[in-house]
Amino acid sequence: MPPYWYFIQVKCRYENLKESTPFINSNNDEDHSYDGKNMALYEEEMDSTPMVASLLNKLANYTNLTQGVREHEEAEDGGRRVAVMVPQMGTFVGVYLPCMQNILGVILFLRLTWIVGTAGILESFAIVSMCCICTLLTAISMSAIATNGMVPAGGSYYMISRSLGPEFGGAVGLCFYLGTTFAGSLYILGTIEILLTYIVPTATIFKDNNGEATPNNMRVYGTCCLLLMALVVFVGVKYVNKLALVFLSCVVLSIMAIYAGAIKTLIELPEFSVCLLGNRSLKNELFESCAKMEVLNNNSVTTDLWNFFCESEYGNATCDEFFTLNNLTEIPAIPGLLSGVIKDNLWSNYGPAGMVIEKNNLHSESPQIPSTDRDQYFVFNDITTYFTLLVGIYFPSVTGIMAGSNRSGDLRDAQRSIPVGTILAILTTSFLYISFVLLFGACIEGVVLRDKFGVSVKKNPVIGVLAWPSPLVIVIGSFFSCCGAGLQSLTGAPRLLQAIAHDGIIPFLQVGDQRFLL
């Protein structure tokens, strides 16, 4: 048969087929399936998802759980177990955001202002720089491993053990497991401190002779919180996974509130103020008026402060000598960026435990015979402070750089995403911490910065006093951020220990190599 006759025959058969199947739901569906076909008019325009829609879809599927946890996560469907499939992630969602969420946490919200007030701006810069350089060098070493050949699935432990050998991997894995475990306790304690100090201060059970809460409250409530989080993890890590985007949003909104509050000080100062007796800071949660006497119905009456430092409410009562010799002064807690308070906060203010927090450039008269009977109304240092102590307190805030490499099995291009995402996250958070040090020192009064628990500003977190529109933004955001970080530590640490046991590196851990136990 000539070639052109063959072409005409095929063309006629094709035309008959088109006319016999005018609808998609015809009887010949078994031969011509239209399922999954793109029916767009211009096919080339639908090759890729729009950038905004793609980003929103990735954020909706965002998870901060490790790859090993999701490997064991299963969904029950009619008694049949189906493994959960996780889409391949890029650099931004797979590495950058998890690292940012793990690095920015409890230390930022609860201790960074106190570190700046105690160490001063210059030494705080040194602390932040040392810790950030340390983690940057670690990230560079991890990037060298990630770019040296194929990156295995299974997280940081598998990446190190398969590249450097089981001995190095086991040693690093055990340290990583211990660090993740202790980080969980850090986040739980941060959660309880926020709860008992700022949300429900009346829930304290144990108090000392002065009515102050004792550490036993942290132990009792921390144990209850640990058991509750363990129950959530035991029921299913998929519930933790669903809240990952909520925890991330809390961190982002809190950071935005801090910057907005610092900018707002250029226009209007917050309403919070500090009451000083001489140069000593007072706990103004106990009183409303920063004065010894006030006029009420054309009569001079004593205030609550008078009753604290004097034996009776009458004007001729015997009062504490320091109270008699010094005047009361009310100053703004947030003088603002243009106040020049940055000059007073440049240098350190270390001191022993029990030292009264005093304003440096304000004079006060000291009594000939010092008395400690009324000292419970002043703000004190609760611990002895020095440089290396603050370095140890701050360093956990820069950890969490392994969050991206823990998702090596979920990354589209792990060799590229792990180095780029981790290093960018470290540089971003380093910039944030350094800018916060500068903003805190330039906006907040020194006596307020050194007030660890905010008792001189109506029992509000110091960082929340600066935030806009309300300190509640920081309280709620930091609370959920600490809860989320604690849950992630409790889900990641057991899986890591199980992976070490599965490799048989440490003999006595092999009894725990049963996947249904962890």
Side-chain angles (χ1 to χ4, degrees), residues 386-465:
Y386 45 92
F387 181 79
T388 54
L389 172 72
L390 299 185
V391 173
I393 292 175
Y394 174 77
F395 189 80
S397 65
V398 297
T399 58
I401 62 173
M402 310 295 280
S405 60
N406 285 340
R407 291 151 184 79
S408 58
D410 299 326
L411 300 176
R412 188 180 304 111
D413 185 3
Q415 287 183 322
R416 177 183 178 275
S417 296
I418 291 177
V420 173
T422 305
I423 293 177
L424 280 180
I426 292 176
L427 294 178
T428 304
T429 53
S430 300
F431 169 77
L432 290 176
Y433 279 122
I434 290 175
S435 64
F436 284 150
V437 168
L438 184 61
L439 287 177
F440 295 160
C443 292
I444 306 176
E445 182 62 46
V447 292
V448 180
L449 285 175
R450 283 174 278 156
D451 181 5
K452 182 185 290 186
F453 302 106
V455 292
S456 63
V457 283
K458 302 293 184 182
K459 211 64 176 293
N460 287 297
V462 175
I463 193 172
V465 175

Side-chain angles (χ1 to χ4, degrees), residues 312-350:
S312 67
E313 60 182 3
Y314 301 105
N316 57 356
T318 303
C319 299
D320 182 80
E321 188 175 358
F322 187 84
F323 182 77
T324 304
L325 293 175
N326 295 277
N327 295 323
L328 289 167
T329 308
E330 194 170 17
I331 61 175
I334 312 293
L337 289 171
L338 302 179
S339 63
V341 72
I342 188 173
K343 299 177 183 178
D344 300 330
N345 296 328
L346 283 176
W347 313 108
S348 61
N349 291 277
Y350 301 117

Side-chain angles (χ1 to χ4, degrees), residues 464-514:
V465 175
L466 176 63
W468 181 84
S470 171
L472 288 176
V473 176
I474 299 298
V475 172
I476 297 174
S478 59
F479 179 78
F480 284 108
S481 174
C482 293
C483 287
L487 287 172
Q488 292 150 16
S489 298
L490 291 180
T491 54
R495 301 299 177 186
L496 179 60
L497 186 62
Q498 185 188 41
I500 298 173
H502 184 66
D503 285 346
I505 301 173
I506 302 175
F508 69 86
L509 288 180
Q510 294 184 19
V511 296
D513 183 23
Q514 301 179 23

Side-chain angles (χ1 to χ4, degrees), residues 37-253:
K37 298 296 188 296
N38 194 341
M39 304 301 292
L41 182 61
Y42 297 100
E43 184 74 20
E44 64 273 12
E45 293 184 2
M46 298 298 296
D47 289 339
S48 60
T49 308
M51 183 179 297
V52 176
S54 177
L55 178 61
L56 293 177
N57 181 54
K58 291 178 180 179
L59 288 177
N61 295 323
Y62 172 74
T63 172
N64 200 24
L65 298 178
T66 61
Q67 191 261 348
V69 174
R70 287 192 300 271
E71 280 183 349
H72 297 82
E73 182 182 349
E74 294 179 340
E76 293 188 2
D77 185 12
R80 182 170 54 90
R81 294 184 176 271
V82 181
V84 175
M85 301 300 295
V86 180
Q88 296 292 310
M89 294 183 290
T91 303
F92 182 73
V93 177
V95 180
Y96 183 78
L97 287 183
C99 287
M100 289 281 292
Q101 182 178 354
N102 280 267
I103 294 174
L104 300 172
V106 59
I107 304 297
L108 167 64
F109 298 118
L110 295 182
R111 292 294 181 268
L112 187 58
T113 54
W114 175 72
I115 291 174
V116 174
T118 304
I121 296 177
L122 299 180
E123 293 188 23
S124 297
F125 276 140
I127 293 173
V128 173
S129 300
M130 285 192 305
C131 296
C132 292
I133 289 174
C134 180
T135 54
L136 181 61
L137 294 177
T138 306
I140 293 173
S141 300
M142 183 180 65
S143 302
I145 297 175
T147 55
N148 186 21
M150 189 66 181
V151 178
S156 304
Y157 167 71
Y158 279 104
M159 186 175 67
I160 296 173
S161 62
R162 298 324 183 248
S163 300
L164 302 180
E167 293 81 5
F168 285 100
V172 174
L174 279 179
C175 294
F176 192 23
Y177 164 74
L178 293 175
T180 306
T181 304
F182 287 120
S185 64
L186 171 69
Y187 295 129
I188 290 175
L189 289 176
T191 302
I192 300 304
E193 179 176 324
I194 296 171
L195 179 67
L196 295 181
T197 306
Y198 307 116
I199 299 179
V200 193
T202 57
T204 54
I205 302 173
F206 304 98
K207 297 182 180 180
D208 57 14
N209 296 330
N210 295 327
E212 300 291 336
T214 62
N216 288 330
N217 293 287
M218 302 290 288
R219 299 184 180 101
V220 173
Y221 281 98
T223 303
C224 296
C225 182
L226 175 61
L227 294 176
L228 181 61
M229 288 185 177
L231 179 62
V232 173
V233 174
F234 178 77
V235 170
V237 293
K238 59 183 177 181
Y239 300 108
V240 184
N241 190 12
K242 293 181 185 298
L243 294 174
L245 185 60
V246 177
F247 300 144
L248 176 64
S249 302
C250 291
V251 176
V252 174
L253 291 176

